Coordinates of all heavy atoms in Angstrom, one line a residue:
L74 N 148.6 130.1 7.2 CA 149.9 130.1 6.6 C 150.0 129.4 5.2 O 150.7 129.9 4.3 CB 151.0 129.4 7.5 CG 151.3 130.2 8.8 CD1 152.2 129.3 9.7 CD2 152.0 131.5 8.5
L75 N 149.2 128.4 5.1 CA 149.2 127.5 3.8 C 147.9 127.9 3.0 O 147.5 127.0 2.1 CB 149.3 126.1 4.1 CG 150.5 125.7 4.9 CD1 150.4 124.1 5.2 CD2 151.8 126.1 4.3
A76 N 147.3 129.0 3.1 CA 146.1 129.4 2.4 C 146.3 129.3 0.9 O 145.4 128.9 0.1 CB 145.6 130.8 2.8
D77 N 147.5 129.6 0.4 CA 147.9 129.6 -1.0 C 148.7 128.3 -1.3 O 149.3 128.3 -2.4 CB 148.6 130.8 -1.4 CG 147.8 132.1 -1.3 OD1 146.5 132.0 -1.6 OD2 148.3 133.1 -0.9
G78 N 148.7 127.4 -0.4 CA 149.5 126.1 -0.6 C 150.8 126.2 0.0 O 151.3 127.3 0.3
P79 N 151.5 125.0 0.1 CA 152.9 125.0 0.7 C 153.8 125.9 -0.2 O 153.7 125.8 -1.4 CB 153.2 123.6 0.6 CG 151.9 122.8 0.7 CD 151.0 123.7 -0.1
S80 N 154.7 126.6 0.5 CA 155.6 127.5 -0.2 C 156.9 127.7 0.6 O 156.8 127.8 1.8 CB 155.0 128.9 -0.5 OG 156.0 129.8 -0.9
P81 N 158.1 127.6 0.0 CA 159.3 127.9 0.7 C 159.3 129.3 1.3 O 160.2 129.6 2.1 CB 160.4 127.6 -0.3 CG 159.8 127.8 -1.6 CD 158.4 127.3 -1.4
K82 N 158.5 130.1 0.8 CA 158.5 131.6 1.2 C 157.5 131.8 2.4 O 157.5 132.9 3.0 CB 158.2 132.5 0.1 CG 159.2 132.5 -1.1 CD 158.8 133.5 -2.1 CE 159.8 133.4 -3.3 NZ 159.5 134.4 -4.4
A83 N 156.7 130.8 2.7 CA 155.7 130.9 3.8 C 156.5 131.1 5.2 O 157.6 130.5 5.3 CB 154.8 129.8 3.9
P84 N 155.9 131.9 6.1 CA 156.6 132.0 7.4 C 156.7 130.6 8.1 O 155.8 129.7 7.8 CB 155.6 132.9 8.2 CG 154.8 133.7 7.1 CD 154.7 132.7 6.0
A85 N 157.7 130.5 8.9 CA 157.8 129.3 9.8 C 156.8 129.4 10.8 O 156.3 130.4 11.2 CB 159.2 129.1 10.3
L86 N 156.4 128.2 11.4 CA 155.5 128.1 12.5 C 156.2 127.8 13.8 O 157.0 126.8 13.8 CB 154.4 127.1 12.2 CG 153.4 126.7 13.4 CD1 152.5 127.9 13.6 CD2 152.7 125.4 13.1
A87 N 156.0 128.4 14.9 CA 156.4 128.1 16.2 C 155.2 127.9 17.1 O 154.2 128.6 16.9 CB 157.3 129.1 16.8
V88 N 155.2 126.9 18.0 CA 154.1 126.6 18.8 C 154.4 126.7 20.3 O 155.4 126.2 20.8 CB 153.6 125.1 18.5 CG1 152.5 124.7 19.4 CG2 153.3 124.9 17.1
L89 N 153.6 127.5 21.0 CA 153.6 127.6 22.5 C 152.4 127.0 23.0 O 151.3 127.7 22.9 CB 153.8 129.1 22.9 CG 155.0 129.8 22.3 CD1 155.0 131.3 22.8 CD2 156.3 129.1 22.6
P90 N 152.4 125.8 23.6 CA 151.1 125.1 24.0 C 150.6 125.6 25.3 O 151.2 125.7 26.3 CB 151.6 123.7 24.1 CG 153.1 123.8 24.5 CD 153.6 125.0 23.8
I91 N 149.3 126.0 25.2 CA 148.5 126.3 26.5 C 147.1 125.7 26.4 O 146.2 126.3 27.1 CB 148.5 127.9 26.7 CG1 147.9 128.6 25.5 CG2 149.8 128.4 27.1 CD1 147.6 130.0 25.7
G92 N 147.0 124.7 25.6 CA 145.7 124.0 25.5 C 145.5 122.9 26.5 O 146.4 122.7 27.4
S93 N 144.5 122.1 26.4 CA 144.3 121.0 27.3 C 145.0 119.8 27.0 O 145.3 119.0 27.9 CB 142.7 120.7 27.4 OG 142.3 120.3 26.1
T94 N 145.4 119.6 25.7 CA 146.1 118.4 25.3 C 147.4 118.7 24.6 O 148.4 118.0 24.9 CB 145.2 117.5 24.4 OG1 143.9 117.4 25.1 CG2 145.8 116.1 24.3
N95 N 147.4 119.6 23.7 CA 148.7 120.0 23.0 C 149.4 118.8 22.3 O 150.6 118.6 22.4 CB 149.6 120.7 24.0 CG 149.0 121.8 24.8 OD1 148.4 122.7 24.2 ND2 149.0 121.7 26.1
V96 N 148.7 118.1 21.5 CA 149.2 116.8 20.9 C 150.3 117.3 19.9 O 151.4 116.6 19.8 CB 148.1 116.0 20.2 CG1 148.7 114.8 19.5 CG2 147.0 115.6 21.2
F97 N 150.0 118.2 19.0 CA 151.0 118.6 18.0 C 152.4 119.0 18.6 O 153.4 118.5 18.2 CB 150.5 119.7 17.1 CG 151.4 120.1 16.0 CD1 151.7 119.2 15.0 CD2 151.9 121.4 15.9 CE1 152.5 119.6 13.9 CE2 152.7 121.7 14.9 CZ 153.0 120.8 13.9
A98 N 152.3 119.9 19.6 CA 153.5 120.3 20.2 C 154.3 119.2 20.9 O 155.5 119.0 20.8 CB 153.3 121.4 21.2
R99 N 153.6 118.3 21.6 CA 154.2 117.2 22.3 C 154.8 116.2 21.3 O 155.8 115.6 21.5 CB 153.2 116.6 23.2 CG 152.8 117.5 24.4 CD 151.6 117.1 25.1 NE 151.8 116.0 26.0 CZ 150.8 115.6 26.9 NH1 149.6 116.2 26.8 NH2 151.1 114.6 27.7
A100 N 154.1 116.0 20.1 CA 154.6 115.1 19.1 C 155.9 115.6 18.5 O 156.7 114.8 18.0 CB 153.6 114.9 18.0
L101 N 156.1 116.9 18.5 CA 157.3 117.5 18.1 C 158.4 117.5 19.1 O 159.6 117.9 18.8 CB 157.1 119.0 17.7 CG 156.3 119.3 16.4 CD1 155.8 120.7 16.3 CD2 157.0 118.8 15.1
G102 N 158.1 117.0 20.3 CA 159.1 116.9 21.4 C 159.1 118.2 22.2 O 160.1 118.4 23.0
M103 N 158.2 119.1 22.1 CA 158.1 120.3 22.9 C 157.5 120.0 24.3 O 156.7 119.1 24.4 CB 157.2 121.3 22.2 CG 157.7 121.7 20.8 SD 159.2 122.6 20.7 CE 158.6 124.2 21.4
P104 N 157.9 120.8 25.3 CA 157.3 120.7 26.6 C 155.8 121.0 26.4 O 155.4 121.8 25.5 CB 158.0 121.8 27.4 CG 159.3 122.0 26.7 CD 159.0 121.8 25.3
A105 N 155.0 120.5 27.3 CA 153.5 120.7 27.2 C 153.1 122.0 27.9 O 151.9 122.1 28.4 CB 152.8 119.5 27.8

Side-chain angles (χ1 to χ4, degrees):
L74 290 174
L75 302 181
D77 295 323
S80 167
K82 297 181 179 180
L86 172 71
V88 179
L89 304 180
I91 54 172
S93 59
T94 313
N95 307 305
V96 177
F97 182 64
R99 293 162 79 174
L101 289 170
M103 303 289 290

